Amino acid sequence: MNTVKTVRELRAAVARARSEGKRIGFVPTMGNLHSGHMALITKAAQRVDFVVASIFVNPLQFGAGEDLDKYPRTLAADQEQLLQAGCHLLFAPTVEQMYPDGMASQTRVSVPNLAEGLCGASRPGHFDGVATVVSKLFNMVQPDLAVFGQKDFQQLAVIRALVHDLNMPIQIIGEPTVRAADGLALSSRNGFLDEQQRAVAPVVYRTLKNIADAIVQGRRDYPALLQAQIQQLEAAGLRPDYLEIRHAQSLRPATPEDRDLVILVAAFLGTTRLIDNLHLNLDTPA
Ligand code: PAF
């Protein structure tokens, strides 16, 4: 597996693969890779002949006071894992390579509606930063398909929308969330949890399952259902940012008549913000 740091080298390597008749798959990441990321690489490798991954901690999607500076940078370990998982090319650009004219004058991509509310409400500008960097990366790599984790459900919806709205000929694949044995969704941010917090963290997924079970059993009084579960999270020592039931396609608040639902949560455990979700289609047997 080759690692390249410039757009010029990236384009040359992808052009070589294309000239050999290969289909290109792409997995954008911010590094500090874990088995969740490896599942994305494996999925891409099953579908195409040449897998490109990127590692770029994108300053444009971090707000003031967020964890940009302490976001773990573990390039050597990441390269080793990517190689094992079947990645062919790693693009690991600098900030200057991605934003040569600085970030202030960077053209932005903004996806209305889907990017508002949920994480968009607590992290203003976050999804503009994601949509902008993903659009740039898509234009640099020009893949046939790209794979993203369903753990970032709202992010995936935003990326599907931008690809559709900007007529990008890229197939977007959402891969199911990889979980630890106790249910905690794998995330680079889990490394910030101390031992005691790590023991408490699985309550986040248990909360989603409790809500899903209640809905399957017929409950439709969503505000009361959510309020009770928010109290459970607080009792466990978390500070919920949001806990919501939304329509899975549009992400608008769910009505009791909706059948395709997603339950989404963001909650702070100490200073670490955990997010998770559970997709529940009442017309599809579990
Ligand atoms: O999900 C992530 O790791 C990032 O938001 C992404 C998609 C790589 C864009 O920086």
Side-chain angles (χ1 to χ4, degrees):
M1 184 191 74
N2 266 343
T3 299
V4 294
K5 291 187 178 296
T6 65
V7 179
R8 181 196 289 257
E9 293 168 299
L10 168 71
R11 284 196 198 281
V14 172
R16 240 184 339 266
R18 279 237 184 264
S19 72
E20 292 162 5
K22 294 180 174 159
R23 269 167 52 80
I24 312 296
F26 181 42
V27 180
T29 80
M30 297 205 299
N32 193 229
L33 305 179
H34 48 68
S35 10
H37 295 107
M38 292 312 114
L40 309 183
I41 300 284
T42 306
K43 173 51 70 74
Q46 286 163 355
R47 298 283 185 98
V48 297
D49 321 287
F50 192 79
V51 179
V52 182
S54 65
I55 294 180
F56 179 61
V57 184
N58 173 34
L60 207 60
Q61 69 188 72
F62 287 78
E66 291 189 345
D67 53 0
L68 172 64
D69 292 337
K70 67 172 190 169
Y71 202 88
R73 272 101 168 152
T74 52
L75 184 63
D78 292 347
Q79 283 169 315
E80 186 54 39
Q81 287 191 69
L82 288 169
L83 178 67
Q84 299 303 329
C87 179
H88 300 95
L89 180 69
L90 170 62
F91 179 48
T94 58
V95 173
E96 292 69 33
Q97 187 64 208
M98 288 300 287
Y99 301 113
D101 302 317
M103 285 187 288
S105 59
Q106 167 67 50
T107 300
R108 308 288 165 120
V109 178
S110 186
V111 177
N113 302 326
L114 286 171
E116 291 149 21
L118 304 168
C119 286
S122 0
R123 304 185 66 190
H126 168 67
F127 286 116
D128 288 2
V130 170
T132 301
V133 79
V134 169
S135 301
K136 283 170 73 79
L137 289 165
F138 280 175
N139 283 331
M140 291 168 183
V141 178
Q142 300 191 353
D144 297 286
L145 64 81
V147 190
F148 292 85
Q150 288 170 3
K151 174 172 167 286
D152 297 297
F153 196 92
Q154 189 177 13
Q155 168 173 285
L156 181 56
V158 164
I159 290 165
R160 284 192 198 284
L162 83 83
V163 163
H164 174 265
D165 292 351
L166 299 180
N167 304 86
M168 295 182 176
I170 303 171
Q171 184 190 355
I172 301 299
I173 297 177
E175 246 322 85
T177 303
V178 178
R179 299 183 180 281
D182 59 11
L184 180 66
L186 297 194
S187 162
S188 302
R189 290 193 168 94
N190 293 351
F192 296 143
L193 301 174
D194 65 27
E195 204 178 321
Q196 201 186 338
Q197 290 169 333
R198 176 61 189 80
V200 168
V203 71
V204 173
Y205 184 52
R206 279 204 302 278
T207 299
L208 296 175
K209 288 223 300 206
N210 290 343
I211 296 169
D213 289 347
I215 297 173
V216 168
Q217 282 157 26
R219 279 198 60 180
R220 295 292 183 270
D221 54 337
Y222 294 155
L225 178 57
L226 291 169
Q227 195 46 45
Q229 291 299 320
I230 286 173
Q231 281 165 8
Q232 291 297 312
L233 285 172
E234 287 170 345
L238 285 92
R239 188 161 55 81
D241 181 2
Y242 61 77
L243 176 63
E244 297 203 29
I245 305 170
R246 297 276 181 123
H247 180 256
Q249 304 306 317
S250 64
L251 292 188
R252 61 163 170 67
T255 68
E257 291 73 39
D258 284 331
R259 309 288 298 166
D260 193 9
L261 303 171
V262 58
I263 310 154
L264 304 116
V265 62
F268 285 94
L269 192 45
T271 55
T272 306
R273 187 170 180 276
L274 301 175
I275 64 168
D276 202 351
N277 67 80
L278 201 159
H279 187 182
L280 175 67
N281 189 329
L282 294 171
D283 295 323
T284 311

